[in-house]
Amino acid sequence: MFAIDDVVVATKGVDLGQMVVVGLSSGGYYVRVTVDGMMLTYPVQDLKKA
């Protein structure tokens, strides 16, 4: 599982490089990340720690 401020990279989908975790869904299935001023949501299984 990820924590706030963890640095992660996408294993599936568009590779935007290193992203910072800023939020987690209540069920734990989605992670909110920021990269280059954008805020995105990824499924947990599509991310890994950098």
Side-chain angles (χ1 to χ4, degrees):
M1 194 60 179
F2 302 110
I4 303 297
D5 293 331
D6 278 353
V7 178
V8 296
V9 292
T11 59
K12 200 175 191 183
V14 178
D15 182 12
L16 298 173
Q18 293 186 343
M19 303 177 282
V20 178
V21 175
V22 293
L24 304 166
S25 69
S26 59
Y29 298 109
Y30 294 97
V31 177
R32 178 79 92 177
V33 297
T34 59
V35 60
D36 295 332
M38 296 182 292
M39 194 170 280
L40 307 165
T41 303
Y42 275 88
V44 170
Q45 69 268 16
D46 293 351
L47 296 172
K48 69 176 182 176
K49 288 191 178 184

